[in-house]
Amino acid sequence: MPINMIVCCKQVPDPEAPPAVFKVANNKMTLPPDVKPVIGQYEEFALEAALRIKDTVGGKITALSVGNNFIRDVIKKALAVGGDELILLEDEAFDGGDSWSTANAMAMAIKKIGEYDLIFCGRQSSDWDAGQVGLGVAEILGIPAVTLARRVEVTDGKARVEQVIPDGYHVVEVTLPALIVVTSGLGALRYATLKGIMAAAKKQPVIWKPADIGLEPSQVGAAARRSKLDKLFQPVKEAKCEIVEGETAAEAGANLAVRLREAKLL
Amino acid sequence: MAEYKDILVCGELADGKLAPITAELLGCGRKLADDLKEGLFCLLASDAVGAASKEAIAFGADKVYVVEHAALKEYQADCYIQVAESLVKELSPRVVLMGQTSMGRDLAPRLAFRLGTSLTTDCLDLSIDTETKLLTQTRPVYGGNAQAIFVSELMPLMVTVRSKAMSPLERDDSRKGEVIPTKVDIDTSKVRTKILETVKEEAVGIKLEDAPVIVCGGRGLGGPEPFQTTLKELADLLHGAVGASRPPADNGWVSEALHIGLTGKIVAPDIYIAIALSGASQHTAGCTGSKHIIAINKDPEANIFREAEFGVVGKYEEVVPALTGKLKELLAG
Ligand SMILES: Cc1cc2nc3c(=O)[nH]c(=O)nc-3n(C[C@H](O)[C@H](O)[C@H](O)COP(=O)(O)OP(=O)(O)OC[C@H]3O[C@@H](n4cnc5c(N)ncnc54)[C@H](O)[C@@H]3O)c2cc1C
Ligand SMILES: Nc1ncnc2c1ncn2[C@@H]1O[C@H](COP(=O)(O)O)[C@@H](O)[C@H]1O
């Protein structure tokens, strides 16, 4: 039975840019222009989880994103790797949302999409790291959710999920429709093929404005926030690393042992 | 509208005892409650709570609400949320505190959305604004590259707190408090998930969270083998444990249980030896509580040197065996 899947992908500044380039100014994170946006890491894992289901039982993957000013080449990666459709909730009004307003907009969009068996989210977005939107969408839609999934299989209208726990994993069964929150450990997102990239280039994303999902501009984005950002700052850290040297790397290693003893660390 | 007051900690048990995170939450909750001149309550829900309720009092709770039900043996969202929702509605607490643990990550967002309130996850610091009585919530964002302070006016104010970020009070068994057995009707027909199997993957030896020394390896080790030889030898010598950054766990070189960082375990050993890992903010988020960080990396520009106290620039293949060899000699002599 082919199944309908929705993968929620967020466009974020590259989280792996060197820490030194992250600079806060006027309560905003500013990054140099050479730091390119990407699809969040956990959403890439979520896409891979969905693609594996498509590989085995077949189905349709819709990528869904909320925001403004999407870079087409970035967000279309979801199509290039094998997604079938891309829906962008794209409008100025969607800017600056919190977990609540984002989840609400996404849930409204998903209701409009209508047909779905599985919704995938990442465990946390790669910028604000909140870890709430997936479960929020599930609550609003009234469907079950399984968090911290690293493997998902579908059989007979049910999903079987390997859920990571601190000292191992659970195998959890959940009835469909369900929302799955994906963690790491299932393997990296596959590369886009040339054919995939070309097909994605031809496809146009579907754009929905607040009115298209039945919401006023005042009910989305920054205007609908429930938590207020008071201040964004960077605690100062002083670098104070003592580099232990030697003629060779091995000698430096031995010298480190001596230095650690001297400093009474060991 | 109900008047919101008091602080409620949603507690957890570990091996039949009060979990360390719950003691930490009670320590932080006690301070907030005293600042507000209000009470500190703790919810403990399990199939059998036992002596943990007394422990919660010894660690600072004024009242402990004990919910015992066979369906609460293992954490399952659809059961626990019924208990938490019913108690929060009954008590109308001003603040609900949970741990940023498997349970807290899973339960807190569901509960916040169900109650129509806001939630701030993974907080490192909490304080009460004495004028407004609102909670100021500080949490890391951008993988730890910045911190944000949030406020919200919706009640109850919900937060999850990172483990090891708060200190528990000194355990005091003479502290007075009340244990209140509480009945909640759990509708098991609302449970839409089923745990078919639980598989334990913990490495043998010292648990990562308890180890005084952690030898942590990164992607630069290139495969599973060095974790079992070079790193393990050093860890064994120092009676420590081996850990990993995320890529080795992602690649299956080590068990996921060894993964340290923002999305792995949060550790705070005396000594943390970081080998062939770059020190991404999302990784160091899990180890900055360590007393001493030592870095070994072939790249002098690696970010881990900004976190470390001692470092060696060089290939781990050469540095680590020499370090282990010399330490063996020094520790024997
Ligand atoms: C939302 C989010 C959450 C995340 N959570 C976590 C988390 O919890 N934990 C985590 O670890 N990561 C996490 N990450 C990933 C993180 O951003 C980095 O990708 C990851 O930590 C990099 O791991 P690494 O340092 O081992 O690998 P790399 O960054 O590839 O570094 C390898 C290092 O090894 C060095 N090296 C190579 N060969 C040698 C040698 N022979 N001898 C000595 N040194 C050598 C290199 O110089 C390099 O510095 C998260 C990312 C995101 C976006
Ligand atoms: N603006 C967004 N657009 C699409 N998906 C999102 C957005 N924000 C969050 N998500 C999804 O929700 C997950 C958790 O996000 P968060 O609660 O922000 O940490 C992410 O990994 C995404 O799958």
Side-chain angles (χ1 to χ4, degrees):
Chain A
M1 177 198 67
I3 63 166
N4 287 310
M5 293 174 277
I6 297 170
V7 184
C8 303
C9 300
K10 186 175 187 184
Q11 177 182 301
V12 296
D14 184 355
E16 300 205 309
V21 307
F22 286 81
K23 291 268 186 312
V24 172
N26 298 327
N27 266 355
K28 278 221 160 77
M29 182 58 80
T30 54
L31 286 158
D34 59 319
V35 176
K36 296 282 175 267
V38 295
I39 290 180
Q41 286 188 0
Y42 289 94
E43 292 97 273
E44 288 210 348
F45 296 132
L47 269 170
E48 181 59 30
L51 286 163
R52 287 189 196 175
I53 291 173
K54 188 176 159 179
D55 291 343
T56 49
V57 296
K60 177 180 173 193
I61 297 176
T62 303
L64 174 65
S65 197
V66 188
N68 194 25
N69 295 328
F70 286 103
I71 313 279
R72 294 297 186 266
D73 282 350
V74 170
I75 200 73
K76 276 190 170 181
K77 182 173 182 185
L79 296 173
V81 292
D84 300 282
E85 197 180 351
L86 176 62
I87 299 178
L88 301 177
L89 306 185
E90 188 179 38
D91 193 87
E92 246 173 44
F94 289 119
D95 249 345
D98 67 353
S99 303
W100 194 86
S101 53
T102 304
N104 190 46
M106 229 136 62
M108 298 307 271
I110 291 170
K111 280 186 191 164
K112 177 167 168 146
I113 294 169
E115 290 200 335
Y116 57 87
D117 302 296
L118 276 175
I119 303 169
F120 291 92
C121 279
R123 65 175 289 166
Q124 64 198 69
S125 55
S126 296
D127 50 3
W128 288 90
D129 295 310
Q132 298 196 39
V133 165
L135 288 167
V137 169
E139 269 300 316
I140 298 171
L141 295 175
I143 61 173
V146 182
T147 48
L148 302 193
R150 69 165 180 203
R151 178 166 306 159
V152 189
E153 280 165 20
V154 176
T155 36
D156 307 328
K158 286 185 181 145
R160 243 173 208 249
V161 183
E162 245 179 62
Q163 175 183 52
V164 177
I165 54 172
D167 54 355
Y169 63 92
H170 285 314
V171 181
V172 180
E173 188 179 78
V174 62
T175 49
L176 304 186
L179 185 137
I180 311 286
V181 173
V182 178
T183 186
S184 53
L186 88 166
L189 174 62
R190 62 196 60 189
Y191 287 106
T193 58
L194 190 60
K195 202 172 134 223
I197 294 170
M198 285 180 6
K202 276 192 223 121
K203 249 180 234 168
Q204 285 316 310
V206 175
I207 313 284
W208 286 344
K209 302 281 168 195
D212 295 315
I213 53 169
L215 294 173
E216 299 288 329
S218 63
Q219 292 173 303
V220 301
R225 284 187 77 102
R226 290 190 161 181
S227 90
K228 202 172 108 226
L229 176 67
D230 194 41
K231 190 173 163 200
L232 190 65
F233 67 103
Q234 288 172 302
V236 268
K237 318 189 251 239
E238 42 196 293
K240 47 162 177 51
C241 187
E242 176 183 327
I243 300 289
V244 178
E245 306 198 357
E247 286 292 316
T248 59
E251 197 185 295
N255 290 345
L256 175 64
V258 174
R259 189 66 191 93
L260 295 179
R261 277 297 268 183
E262 269 172 21
K264 298 205 165 50
L265 259 55
L266 294 168
Chain B
M1 209 178 81
E3 186 200 352
Y4 289 94
K5 67 190 269 286
D6 308 311
I7 309 256
L8 175 66
V9 167
C10 288
E12 292 182 49
L13 304 185
D15 305 322
K17 293 214 190 85
L18 198 71
I21 180 70
T22 303
E24 291 160 25
L25 292 173
L26 289 169
C28 146
R30 187 70 262 168
K31 167 136 200 337
L32 300 175
D34 291 345
D35 287 350
L36 287 161
K37 303 192 179 56
E38 293 178 1
L40 175 63
F41 307 152
C42 181
L43 163 64
L44 292 175
S46 176
D47 58 332
V49 171
S53 52
K54 291 271 167 19
E55 275 185 273
I57 293 172
F59 279 109
D62 298 319
K63 290 183 187 171
V64 184
Y65 293 86
V66 172
V67 182
E68 290 183 329
H69 193 293
L72 299 170
K73 189 165 195 286
E74 237 174 332
Y75 170 78
Q76 286 237 64
D78 288 337
C79 285
Y80 269 67
I81 196 164
Q82 294 182 44
V83 175
E85 187 185 1
S86 122
L87 196 71
V88 169
K89 285 189 169 153
E90 186 187 318
L91 298 178
S92 305
R94 182 188 299 280
V95 177
V96 178
L97 298 176
M98 290 193 208
Q100 176 77 352
T101 55
S102 293
M103 179 181 111
R105 284 187 167 108
D106 192 85
L107 182 61
R110 299 176 196 255
L111 187 61
F113 273 80
R114 197 166 286 192
L115 296 171
T117 190
S118 78
L119 162 71
T120 305
T121 53
D122 205 17
C123 292
L124 296 178
D125 192 33
L126 297 172
S127 61
I128 293 286
D129 180 328
T130 43
E131 223 164 86
T132 58
K133 293 199 170 179
L134 291 177
L135 187 68
T136 306
Q137 310 144 8
T138 309
R139 72 181 301 264
V141 293
Y142 285 92
N145 286 312
Q147 292 190 10
I149 299 178
F150 289 101
V151 286
S152 156
E153 288 173 4
L154 291 165
M155 300 277 167
L157 301 161
M158 277 189 66
V159 296
T160 67
V161 175
R162 182 175 288 190
S163 64
K164 298 193 166 76
M166 306 286 179
S167 316
L169 301 176
E170 195 81 47
R171 179 181 177 138
D172 176 1
D173 286 302
S174 68
R175 197 189 287 274
K176 293 273 174 299
E178 200 184 337
V179 175
I180 305 171
T182 308
K183 204 172 159 296
V184 175
D185 290 319
I186 296 175
D187 180 355
T188 48
S189 72
K190 287 194 177 146
V191 179
R192 300 160 295 181
T193 55
K194 193 160 131 202
I195 300 175
L196 299 177
E197 200 186 340
T198 301
V199 182
K200 301 272 176 188
E201 278 188 333
E202 190 97 64
V204 283
I206 310 175
K207 268 178 84 173
L208 211 47
E209 296 92 320
D210 304 335
V213 176
I214 293 176
V215 179
C216 184
R219 175 152 47 198
L221 294 178
E225 201 256 0
F227 286 93
Q228 291 144 24
T229 55
T230 321
L231 267 59
K232 180 158 191 304
E233 223 174 284
L234 178 56
D236 284 349
L237 176 68
L238 302 174
H239 308 290
V242 171
S245 64
R246 200 186 71 193
D250 284 359
N251 295 338
W253 302 347
V254 299
S255 145
E256 175 62 32
L258 301 192
H259 160 197
I260 292 169
L262 186 62
T263 49
K265 296 211 159 114
I266 307 277
V267 297
D270 292 332
I271 298 185
Y272 191 82
I273 308 179
I275 302 174
L277 60 85
S278 60
S281 302
Q282 296 91 353
H283 178 74
T284 57
C287 67
T288 42
S290 311
K291 285 212 189 79
H292 306 282
I293 298 180
I294 297 153
I296 296 164
N297 195 301
K298 68 175 184 187
D299 173 10
E301 297 301 320
N303 190 62
I304 192 67
F305 291 120
R306 305 209 313 167
E307 301 288 341
E309 186 178 338
F310 293 98
V312 169
V313 178
K315 289 175 82 171
Y316 84 87
E317 296 91 328
E318 290 155 34
V319 179
V320 181
L323 167 66
T324 310
K326 189 71 183 178
L327 275 177
K328 214 176 264 173
E329 205 183 296
L330 293 171
L331 291 171

